[in-house]
Amino acid sequence: MNTTTSAPPESYCTFLVDGLLYGIEVQKVQEVIRAQPTTRVPLAPRVVRGLMNLRGHIVSMLSLRNALGLAPRSSDRPEMSVIIRSSEGPVGLLVDEIGDVMRVDQADCESVPGTLHRRQRSFLRCAYKLEQRLLLILDADRVATAMD
Amino acid sequence: MDGFEDIIKEFLVESYENLDKLDDDLLALEDTPDDQQRLGSIFRTVHTIKGTCGFLALPKLERVTHVGENLLVPLRDGELKLTRPIADTLLDMVDAIRAMLRQVESGQGEGDDNYDALVARLEAVRTQPATQPATQPATQPATQPATPSADQLAADDSTTPAATESTVPTATRTDAGTSAGNPDTSGRGSADEATLPDRHDAAESLRPVQAAAEQAAAEQVAAEQAAAEQAAAVQARSDWKEAPAVSKNEASLVDASVRLDVELLDKLVNLVGELVLARNQIVQFSRSTDDAPLHAAAQRLNQITSELQEGVMKTRMQPIRNAWGKLPRLVRDLAASRGKQVDVRMEGEETEVDKTVLEAIKDPLTHIVRNVVDHGIELPERRIACGKPPRGLLRLNAFHEGGQMIIEINDDGGGIDTNIIRAKAIERGILSNQQASTLSETDLTHLILLPGFSTAAAVTNVSGRGVGMDVVKTNIECIGGSLEIHSTLGLGTTLRIKIPLTLAIIPVLLVTTEGDRYAIPQVSLLELVHIDSLRAHQEIEYIHDAPLFRLREQLLPLIYLDEQLGLHPPRRRGDPPSDLNIVVLHADGRQFGLVVDEITDTQEIVIKPLGSHFKEIPVYAGATIMGDGKICLILDLIGLAQTGGITGGQAERNVPVTLPPWHSQESSSESLLIVDLGDGSRAAIPLSSVARLEKFATSDVERLGDFHVVQYRGQTIPLFSIDGALECQLVDSNSLQVGADSPLHTVVFRDGDRVAGIVVKKILDILHNQPVHAEPEGGRAAAARHLVIQQRVTRIIDLKSFLRPAMRRWADTWFAA
């Protein structure tokens, strides 16, 4: 339907959250690391899991599930964290599982349907139709500043 | 006179930098003559040089810059357009300033050169008609007046060698002296002699020494000597190339201090922090093995890292004294020249502040102090007439408060007359008549911070052009600070500069609560008190549920850190006493006790700012990374005192919201309390209308006429319930299907002195920052809104309008007179 006019980056770092495949453009991703112990911040919005020391930088770790209004995790497999470069500096997103870096064809880009809940839709830029499933592209800056 | 020399040195280093910038600015300006920002910058640079040299007794320099400034004023105000001749003249002025500074540096005062011609030209280009056609061959006016300045330069050249000549022999002498003892370098003296004929005379007089050196050198193997000579020749040649002896002196002065990028320093501090962590790990590791060499290496690494850390930290911290050390002198001289008498009193000189911050506030401080002396403090006769002592008092006070550095500059002078400001602002067209009459005194006072705004009747060579205060403001804001002015007409003015301490290292006290560490800035720390449970029983007193501790006959309100952080439900009067660790603090002018689980340690830390998610939380000032690599939150005591009700903000300190322990108790209009109404439906109540959450036992509920009531804080309050149809009903404990033992969950609503309880089945949750749509107009507003919260349809209930009819009935029944 709607192919975005300004050529979006083609490579996306992908990850799974609650069974859905999400992606953030590779240029925005600083690194991917295993989730580390964080320091909790009382009174903070619930989307914030805590603060992590990333080689001398203090990075806020956000639960992507919480930001997207998804159900809490049941699995006890260790989470992964995707450190993204946002306008606010590095911010960590906790995800279930890391996927591949995917190159996608712009022709497969679709805008997000209006039937989505507003909360989720505001974080999504577009969706790519992959062969098996959909790849949902997150707006890194919006996710990085997500509140409850 | 050491201090004075320091001032000159600083002045020179600063001015050289400024002049280089001025060159660039002027050249850029030729391309874009209308660049107001650049013009402003040029103006400020010249103004600063002029201002400083006024106090250093450099009248010639001052004169040139003063005339230059005169020329820059119409340029800045757009009355004069920058043309080639003007630019040339200004560049010549820059050269002249530079030449004079060089002479000052060589210790000869300003030199004997005459700058009348330049001054005349500066005057001339200013007064010539601005309409002069730009097409006129620029070379003619430019070259003709330029001749005198060329002469000048020639004159400079003739004086500078004299300056260096006096220094060169000493240099050679030491050179030769050392070469006598050290044959390896002996070739160098002779090479100098050979290749620098103009130093011949100086070297000649050193013959005997030289001879001795040669003799010593003769003992060397011939080949070695040849090699040395060759090396020396190369050395000499490169010396020659670097040459101009004039710049040598300057270079040494500039080289002695290096200005560093804040970013670079930050990076270094971070890297050293990382190094410390790595060191800790290695030391830990080495302890677990018996490898002696490893032990030794780890030990050494440990030492070096500690020293490095200390050094890097130190590079950035300096006492504020360094910034205002030269102010008393400045005040004294300026006051004398104005026929005024001013005493300077300084407090908190040892307050440490980051070097970069210090640098940034130096100029603003100078400007402010000059303004105070020139405009603030009155003449002695006038002071006596006003009933003040003839000597004015200028007070400087620096201290840390709430993670910020505060500098107060206070004088007992005439204050700022807002009427004059108002008149001036209208005259200058900054304000309309109407605006001017509605502006508050404080706002009017702050108009003096506008660029080009001056109330001075006469432009003196010290101030009055309206540059000073705008420089002050720009510089302070550049480092993220703020400036406040409080003035009382006739009594004096206080300027309060706040500078954030984000770069600064501060000592903190580490405390533990609920298993987490928190840092408390030590500037706010008064004392630590430990009381055991037995004493606590006697010594902790309560006013209702607010605990107080009698500390040497002073009542100290206590707040519990875990409660403030929402990690523990509020304690009540009847709770069994426990051991208490009280950190006695002062913030915002109040004292209070902060109760923590444990007091751990003191440490020096670097504050790092928190991300955007935490901006709304007033209790944190930032975070830091501890030696073990973990992150520790730094408490903002002013914020804590406010949320705790110690200062300002909430008048109703004694009704903090009782929430499940994992929730915060900050209340914002967008925060919603989610409750289960008991019939399967959910409702959301804006937290702002909730005074408290309480649990009442069923046995507490009494009947009063048609109403169910409870005794609550010495008041009888009615209980209501909300049913699915959103009708407000009298509570019926049966309908809530609660057992006789289980408590009634009650939301306490308070509006002024009207208090009521709403009984709900269950308190479910609190959600922050919920987007709540604007309230629709109309009668049944209470029920009209709903949201989907956690995938459930949730009605939003505005308690105030919801309870209105019921409360009216309650009041009519029981309080109608």
Side-chain angles (χ1 to χ4, degrees):
Chain A
M1 271 194 300
N2 169 19
T3 313
T4 7
T5 43
S6 60
E10 291 173 351
S11 291
Y12 290 97
C13 172
T14 66
F15 40 85
L16 286 167
V17 182
D18 202 17
L20 292 170
L21 187 67
Y22 291 92
I24 286 183
E25 58 260 52
V26 163
Q27 291 91 330
K28 289 264 184 185
V29 176
Q30 180 181 314
E31 60 192 290
V32 174
I33 52 173
R34 198 162 294 150
Q36 289 174 8
T38 56
T39 302
R40 69 168 164 174
V41 185
L43 307 183
R46 285 200 302 169
V47 66
V48 179
R49 191 71 69 76
L51 300 172
M52 190 186 76
N53 173 9
L54 181 70
R55 295 189 300 279
H57 288 277
I58 295 178
V59 177
S60 311
M61 302 301 291
L62 310 182
S63 158
L64 203 50
R65 275 176 179 265
N66 209 317
L68 292 167
L70 301 172
R73 227 164 100 87
S74 47
S75 150
D76 53 359
R77 281 185 57 182
E79 285 177 296
M80 295 295 288
S81 38
V82 180
I83 312 292
I84 57 171
R85 297 190 187 95
S86 75
S87 49
E88 301 266 335
V91 169
L93 302 179
L94 291 164
V95 301
D96 294 354
E97 219 174 295
I98 291 293
D100 297 326
V101 171
M102 288 188 189
R103 291 180 72 85
V104 288
D105 194 347
Q106 280 190 49
D108 295 333
C109 183
E110 298 268 352
S111 62
V112 181
T115 47
L116 243 78
H117 189 274
R118 205 164 41 84
R119 178 178 183 87
Q120 287 141 9
R121 198 167 36 145
S122 65
F123 293 131
L124 293 178
R125 277 236 222 101
C126 59
Y128 281 98
K129 295 170 288 186
L130 306 182
E131 271 175 40
Q132 303 289 329
R133 63 200 311 178
L134 289 175
L135 170 62
L136 309 173
I137 303 303
L138 289 170
D139 184 319
D141 280 337
R142 286 218 187 135
V143 173
T145 53
M147 291 292 207
D148 285 346
Chain B
M1 286 301 273
D2 267 357
F4 191 64
E5 268 160 27
D6 279 347
I7 294 174
I8 293 217
K9 219 183 246 174
E10 249 169 63
F11 165 63
L12 288 172
V13 172
E14 227 170 67
S15 300
Y16 283 135
E17 278 178 15
N18 283 340
L19 286 173
D20 290 345
K21 193 163 160 281
L22 214 52
D23 271 345
D24 292 346
D25 276 343
L26 279 169
L27 292 182
L29 209 57
E30 278 192 302
D31 295 332
T32 51
D34 295 325
D35 190 340
Q36 284 302 320
Q37 214 170 349
R38 240 180 240 283
L39 274 166
S41 151
I42 292 175
F43 189 42
R44 285 196 286 264
T45 308
V46 176
H47 186 71
T48 304
I49 293 179
K50 186 199 77 173
T52 322
C53 61
F55 305 112
L56 297 178
L58 303 170
K60 266 190 202 169
L61 194 47
E62 192 181 354
R63 178 156 162 252
V64 171
T65 43
H66 186 67
V67 181
E69 213 183 35
N70 276 336
L71 172 59
L72 284 164
V73 169
L75 281 171
R76 184 193 61 173
D77 294 347
E79 291 159 21
L80 198 62
K81 209 168 150 53
L82 186 89
T83 56
R84 186 68 189 270
I86 295 183
D88 283 343
T89 321
L90 284 172
L91 281 171
D92 284 344
M93 177 190 76
V94 173
D95 288 343
I97 295 174
R98 208 175 264 139
M100 276 188 271
L101 289 177
R102 242 176 239 146
Q103 302 216 344
V104 170
E105 187 175 344
S106 65
Q108 303 183 321
E110 296 171 283
D112 307 321
D113 301 323
N114 190 335
Y115 293 100
D116 288 344
L118 179 65
V119 168
R121 271 175 59 217
L122 285 166
E123 296 277 7
V125 282
R126 181 164 67 95
T127 45
Q128 80 187 350
T131 51
Q132 189 180 24
T135 47
Q136 187 182 352
T139 44
Q140 218 247 325
T143 47
Q144 199 224 340
T147 344
S149 91
D151 286 348
Q152 246 161 251
L153 284 176
D156 289 348
D157 284 344
S158 69
T159 52
T160 33
T164 47
E165 209 151 22
S166 61
T167 55
V168 166
T170 19
T172 326
R173 195 172 292 131
T174 45
D175 221 51
T178 48
S179 69
N182 186 356
D184 273 353
T185 57
S186 66
R188 187 162 174 188
S190 49
D192 274 353
E193 195 189 348
T195 47
L196 298 173
D198 56 354
R199 292 190 188 174
H200 192 83
D201 288 354
E204 188 107 312
S205 64
L206 297 168
R207 260 289 149 72
V209 188
Q210 199 67 52
E214 266 162 19
Q215 214 163 18
E219 287 170 27
Q220 293 289 316
V221 192
E224 206 180 295
Q225 196 174 18
E229 255 167 23
Q230 206 176 354
V234 171
Q235 170 75 35
R237 216 173 298 138
S238 63
D239 271 354
W240 181 249
K241 246 185 258 167
E242 277 176 22
V246 194
S247 65
K248 240 186 189 166
N249 212 352
E250 175 191 336
S252 66
L253 194 53
V254 174
D255 288 348
S257 67
V258 178
R259 287 179 191 222
L260 285 178
D261 209 355
V262 190
E263 226 170 276
L264 180 64
L265 274 177
D266 277 345
K267 207 172 159 191
L268 282 178
V269 169
N270 274 338
L271 284 174
V272 167
E274 289 303 307
L275 184 64
V276 168
L277 297 188
R279 186 261 325 254
N280 291 351
Q281 283 168 354
I282 287 192
V283 169
Q284 196 90 40
F285 176 66
S286 77
R287 281 196 195 121
S288 62
T289 64
D290 289 333
D291 194 340
L294 178 63
H295 272 288
Q299 188 61 34
R300 209 165 145 56
L301 176 68
N302 191 359
Q303 263 174 11
I304 294 173
T305 313
S306 302
E307 266 175 47
L308 180 64
Q309 188 185 17
E310 207 172 295
V312 168
M313 297 301 183
K314 236 187 233 160
T315 53
R316 302 167 15 131
M317 297 306 284
Q318 290 192 323
I320 185 82
R321 180 171 11 93
N322 292 7
W324 67 27
K326 58 180 176 180
L327 294 180
R329 164 75 196 244
L330 192 150
V331 169
R332 185 190 156 278
D333 290 359
L334 179 57
S337 75
R338 292 283 168 280
K340 293 177 180 177
Q341 298 167 359
V342 183
D343 287 330
V344 182
R345 199 175 294 163
M346 302 197 271
E347 281 166 49
E349 294 173 282
E350 297 302 322
T351 315
E352 287 218 319
V353 64
D354 207 272
K355 163 116 175 105
T356 45
V357 175
L358 195 85
E359 288 281 314
I361 56 168
K362 238 182 221 182
D363 281 352
L365 276 178
T366 312
H367 276 295
I368 291 173
V369 166
R370 268 165 48 192
N371 268 347
V372 165
V373 177
D374 205 26
H375 301 305
I377 308 263
E378 315 93 323
L379 289 167
E381 306 83 61
R382 196 175 148 71
R383 289 183 62 88
I384 293 169
C386 296
K388 295 185 201 176
R391 298 188 72 85
L393 180 61
L394 171 67
R395 266 193 311 229
L396 292 158
N397 189 10
F399 51 96
H400 284 155
E401 187 183 283
Q404 288 190 311
M405 165 109 178
I406 311 235
I407 305 172
E408 280 178 348
I409 300 130
N410 167 272
D411 70 72
D412 64 347
I416 296 169
D417 191 342
T418 45
N419 288 324
I420 297 184
I421 294 183
R422 188 180 286 129
K424 198 87 185 177
I426 296 171
E427 179 196 314
R428 295 266 319 264
I430 298 170
L431 292 177
S432 70
N433 270 322
Q434 201 210 341
Q435 280 172 319
S437 58
T438 54
L439 229 50
S440 74
E441 297 280 302
T442 320
D443 289 340
L444 280 170
T445 311
H446 282 91
L447 285 181
I448 65 167
L449 301 176
L450 288 177
F453 194 92
S454 174
T455 56
V459 173
T460 68
N461 65 343
V462 177
S463 50
R465 284 181 200 273
V467 231
M469 290 312 281
D470 108 75
V471 182
V472 170
K473 191 164 171 262
T474 319
N475 284 8
I476 291 174
E477 283 174 357
C478 267
I479 52 168
S482 67
L483 175 66
E484 279 172 44
I485 308 173
H486 300 283
S487 182
T488 316
L489 190 57
L491 291 180
T493 308
T494 300
L495 278 110
R496 202 176 152 90
I497 304 173
K498 272 194 202 177
I499 318 161
L501 279 185
T502 40
L503 302 170
I505 294 167
I506 56 164
V508 294
L509 178 76
L510 294 176
V511 300
T512 310
T513 213
E514 295 281 322
D516 290 335
R517 269 182 307 187
Y518 297 92
I520 298 173
Q522 276 191 22
V523 278
S524 312
L525 183 64
L526 294 176
E527 61 183 298
L528 303 174
V529 180
H530 173 84
I531 42 177
D532 58 35
S533 51
L534 258 177
R535 276 182 63 204
H537 185 61
Q538 295 157 358
E539 295 180 24
I540 303 294
E541 297 165 79
Y542 284 87
I543 298 179
H544 292 282
D545 284 334
L548 298 160
F549 174 60
R550 210 177 283 213
L551 179 69
R552 291 186 292 276
E553 294 312 304
Q554 192 198 349
L555 273 185
L556 197 68
L558 295 182
I559 54 178
Y560 286 80
L561 183 57
D562 48 7
E563 286 178 27
Q564 295 306 316
L565 297 177
L567 301 171
H568 194 284
R571 286 144 180 103
R572 310 284 288 275
R573 188 157 23 135
D575 289 350
S578 57
D579 286 14
L580 291 181
N581 285 308
I582 303 173
V583 183
V584 183
L585 300 160
H586 73 104
D588 241 7
R590 299 287 185 85
Q591 288 190 12
F592 64 98
L594 185 68
V595 182
V596 299
D597 289 357
E598 211 178 305
I599 291 163
T600 328
D601 201 1
T602 60
Q603 203 156 358
E604 304 229 306
I605 55 152
V606 182
I607 298 187
K608 301 192 177 199
L610 287 171
S612 62
H613 289 92
F614 314 101
K615 293 236 165 70
E616 303 290 312
I617 311 174
V619 300
Y620 304 125
T624 191
I625 297 177
M626 307 298 294
D628 57 6
K630 294 209 179 97
I631 292 168
C632 174
L633 289 160
I634 302 160
L635 297 175
D636 180 335
L637 295 173
I638 292 180
L640 199 61
Q642 274 166 4
T643 55
I646 301 290
T647 56
Q650 306 169 320
E652 298 195 5
R653 193 262 141 172
N654 293 329
V655 284
V657 185
T658 317
L659 299 176
W662 53 88
H663 286 306
S664 84
Q665 33 179 282
E666 57 170 348
S667 72
S668 101
S669 58
E670 289 178 322
S671 295
L672 298 176
L673 177 74
I674 315 294
V675 297
D676 183 343
L677 293 180
D679 59 352
S681 66
R682 289 174 153 212
I685 301 169
L687 212 51
S688 52
S689 60
V690 176
R692 200 176 167 103
L693 304 181
E694 287 288 352
K695 288 177 195 165
F696 295 114
T698 329
S699 56
D700 288 343
V701 179
E702 299 168 67
R703 289 291 292 236
L704 185 63
D706 291 338
F707 293 92
H708 287 274
V709 296
V710 286
Q711 299 295 322
Y712 178 68
R713 291 173 183 254
Q715 209 177 348
T716 303
I717 66 166
L719 295 180
F720 301 105
S721 69
I722 304 169
D723 71 357
L726 286 172
E727 292 293 340
C728 184
Q729 295 190 336
L730 304 182
V731 75
D732 177 357
S733 52
N734 293 330
S735 74
L736 287 166
Q737 299 163 339
V738 288
D741 293 338
S742 56
L744 295 174
H745 293 276
T746 309
V747 178
V748 179
F749 161 83
R750 182 194 286 269
D751 178 27
D753 54 6
R754 296 187 304 152
V755 184
I758 295 94
V759 179
V760 298
K761 173 89 180 293
K762 213 169 159 193
I763 307 285
L764 292 170
D765 206 349
I766 290 192
L767 298 174
H768 292 292
N769 300 312
Q770 281 296 315
V772 177
H773 306 295
E775 197 171 330
E777 297 296 320
R780 298 269 298 173
R785 296 182 298 157
H786 74 271
L787 276 176
V788 177
I789 296 171
Q790 294 165 347
Q791 283 88 45
R792 296 274 309 262
V793 174
T794 310
R795 272 168 290 210
I796 298 176
I797 298 172
D798 174 10
L799 282 184
K800 202 168 166 181
S801 49
F802 177 77
L803 284 174
R804 195 172 291 137
M807 287 304 281
R808 196 173 297 137
R809 200 145 53 87
W810 161 256
D812 286 349
T813 315
W814 294 102
F815 298 101

